[in-house]
Amino acid sequence: MDWIILIGDESLTLENVKNIEHYDSVCISEIEANRFSVDYGKVHVFYDYVENLISDYEEEDLSRIPYSNPHFIMMTFNSVDLMWKILRQDNFLRNIYIDDDLGKILSIEDFIKD
């Protein structure tokens, strides 16, 4: 499983992500209060709201996040192609940042250009 982190301001919630129309999905399942999955048949994506993740960031990384009180949602997936397809959906969240865990923290608009 691979993962990225969606970073937003105080308005970023799991409900925002859950309420998106997940194109080509089979079903959405709430697993726990802070976790749900989207099933696409043979592949799936988990979304986890992570409360205290800010303490894992170094000062240099935090300087690249433009929110004073950032919220974090971990997106875990077993298909990189599906991850790109989801992030590029015309209805997916905008005005958020992506941490790819490889040293990049970019706006979603810049991230999906790669």
Side-chain angles (χ1 to χ4, degrees), residues 7-14 16 49 66-72:
I7 307 169
D9 62 15
E10 295 89 352
S11 66
L12 178 64
T13 66
L14 278 180
N16 298 130
Y49 179 76
Y67 310 112
S68 58
N69 185 25
H71 285 207
F72 302 91

Side-chain angles (χ1 to χ4, degrees), residues 5-6 10 15 23 32 52 54-55 62 68 76 81-82 88 90 97 99 102 110:
I5 298 173
L6 312 178
E10 295 89 352
E15 285 300 312
Y23 302 149
E32 296 173 1
N52 297 321
I54 195 166
S55 62
L62 289 174
S68 58
T76 308
D81 290 337
L82 178 59
R88 290 180 173 137
D90 59 357
Y97 278 67
D99 177 348
L102 299 173
D110 289 336

Side-chain angles (χ1 to χ4, degrees), residues 17-104:
V17 181
K18 194 183 299 182
N19 290 335
I20 293 169
E21 180 181 352
H22 299 274
Y23 302 149
D24 301 323
S25 66
V26 175
C27 69
I28 298 173
S29 303
E30 187 164 329
I31 299 170
E32 296 173 1
N34 288 332
R35 183 173 214 217
F36 75 94
S37 68
V38 181
D39 186 342
Y40 293 86
K42 294 182 181 180
V43 293
H44 53 271
V45 177
F46 292 97
Y47 295 93
D48 297 273
Y49 179 76
V50 186
E51 287 193 47
N52 297 321
L53 199 58
I54 195 166
S55 62
D56 290 353
Y57 283 86
E58 309 235 350
E59 196 61 41
E60 180 182 332
D61 295 329
L62 289 174
S63 69
R64 295 185 283 164
I65 299 171
Y67 310 112
S68 58
N69 185 25
H71 285 207
F72 302 91
I73 295 176
M74 184 173 290
M75 178 180 176
T76 308
F77 47 89
N78 57 359
S79 167
V80 173
D81 290 337
L82 178 59
M83 180 269 302
W84 286 114
K85 181 179 174 182
I86 292 168
L87 295 181
R88 290 180 173 137
Q89 283 184 191
D90 59 357
N91 67 339
F92 198 77
L93 305 173
R94 294 295 176 246
N95 301 316
I96 62 169
Y97 278 67
I98 305 291
D99 177 348
D100 70 354
D101 195 40
L102 299 173
K104 289 184 187 175

